[in-house]
Amino acid sequence: MNALVLPGVYAPQDDTELLAEVIAEEPYEPGTEVLDVGTGSGTLALAAARRGARVTAVDVSRRAVWTARLNAWLTRLPVRARRGNLFAPVRGRTFDVIVANPPYVPAPEARGVPRGRSRAWDAGDDGRLVLDRICRDAPALLRPGGVLLIVHSALSGPDRTLDLLRAAGLKAAVVRRRWIAFGPVLRARKGWLRERGLLDAAEEREELVVIRAERPL
C-alpha cells in the first residue's frame, strides 16, 4: 500500500486495501495470468505480482499508466501497464484472474461525463457506469476456473452485480464487507444521496463489498 502516486492519480484507499486482502487469499499457480483493470497507482497489480503472477495492468489515464510502470520498476515486479479503456488493450486475451476497483460513486447527472481525477470515482447517477460494463465484458475474458474480483460500494447495487455475473454463467458471491467513514466525495454528496434514498438520514458510514465470481471449469 506504499505505492508512489503521481499527481492526478487515484491514491490507494480503504477499497484498495480490502481488495488486496482478497487477492492475497487467492491460490496462484506458476504462470497465473492476472489482469488489473483500472489499475490507478498499480497497487493491486503489484499485490498479484508479489504472489508470482504475470500481471497486465490497464488504465485509461496516461498518468496512471506511468505511475504503475514506475512502481513496478521501483519494486522490480513483473507488471506490464497498458493505456486504454477497460478491456480494449487486451482484446483477444484471456486471464486466470481479473481484479477491478472501478469508479462506483453515484454522481448527479449535472456533473456530466467524468473528467480528470473524477474519472477515478464518478460513475453516473446510479454508480454503475463502469460496473455494468465490467459485468458484461469480463466473463468472456476468464479462462475456465478463472476468477473475477470486484470491489465497490454498497450504494452501487451489489445485488445487481451478482445478478449480472450469475446471468453470465459465473458463480458469484460477496466474500468481504467493511464499513468505513465517508471520504470527502461522499461527505459532499450526503444531501443528494439522502434525497435519492441511497442513504438513511443518520447514516455516516459507507459499506464496501468485494464480490468474487468464478467461471466453471
Side-chain angles (χ1 to χ4, degrees):
M1 298 293 292
N2 295 321
L4 183 150
V5 182
L6 296 180
V9 176
Y10 183 77
Q13 298 186 41
D14 294 279
D15 49 4
T16 317
E17 181 178 3
L18 187 63
L19 185 50
E21 291 174 6
V22 177
I23 290 171
E25 295 172 356
E26 285 292 319
Y28 289 82
E29 301 292 336
T32 294
E33 294 273 0
V34 175
L35 172 65
D36 178 16
V37 59
T39 191
S41 66
T43 298
L44 297 174
L46 297 174
R50 289 188 182 96
R51 300 292 309 280
R54 294 201 299 262
V55 185
T56 300
V58 173
D59 205 291
V60 71
S61 163
R62 285 188 178 87
R63 290 189 181 190
V65 171
W66 295 337
T67 301
R69 288 174 178 169
L70 180 56
N71 282 316
W73 180 78
L74 289 170
T75 55
R76 301 183 184 277
L77 288 169
V79 173
R80 299 178 65 188
R82 298 288 181 266
R83 181 174 178 262
N85 194 338
L86 291 180
F87 303 110
V90 294
R91 188 174 289 113
R93 295 181 59 188
T94 58
F95 298 88
D96 300 296
V97 180
I98 298 174
V99 301
N101 181 5
Y104 55 71
V105 179
E109 291 182 1
R111 291 186 62 85
V113 177
R115 297 183 183 279
R117 294 184 65 226
S118 68
R119 289 184 301 184
W121 56 80
D122 279 355
D125 190 57
D126 59 359
R128 299 200 59 89
L129 183 67
V130 179
L131 277 167
D132 283 344
R133 293 174 60 193
I134 292 174
C135 292
R136 179 191 68 204
D137 296 339
L141 277 70
L142 287 174
R143 297 169 181 169
V147 171
L148 170 66
L149 301 172
I150 308 176
V151 62
H152 67 81
S153 173
L155 298 173
S156 310
D159 288 342
R160 176 170 171 79
T161 300
L162 293 171
D163 289 344
L164 289 172
L165 295 174
R166 289 167 181 165
L170 306 186
K171 181 181 179 181
V174 174
V175 295
R176 195 68 59 92
R177 299 178 183 269
R178 181 168 299 166
W179 288 90
I180 63 170
F182 287 157
V185 176
L186 282 187
R187 283 199 301 270
R189 295 181 189 172
K190 283 193 300 184
W192 177 77
L193 290 167
R194 285 170 178 154
E195 288 176 3
R196 295 223 31 232
L198 295 174
L199 279 180
D200 293 335
E203 199 167 356
E204 295 292 339
R205 294 190 303 162
E206 175 189 16
E207 185 182 20
L208 300 176
V209 300
V210 176
I211 292 174
R212 183 183 189 275
E214 184 173 350
R215 182 179 178 183
L217 290 170

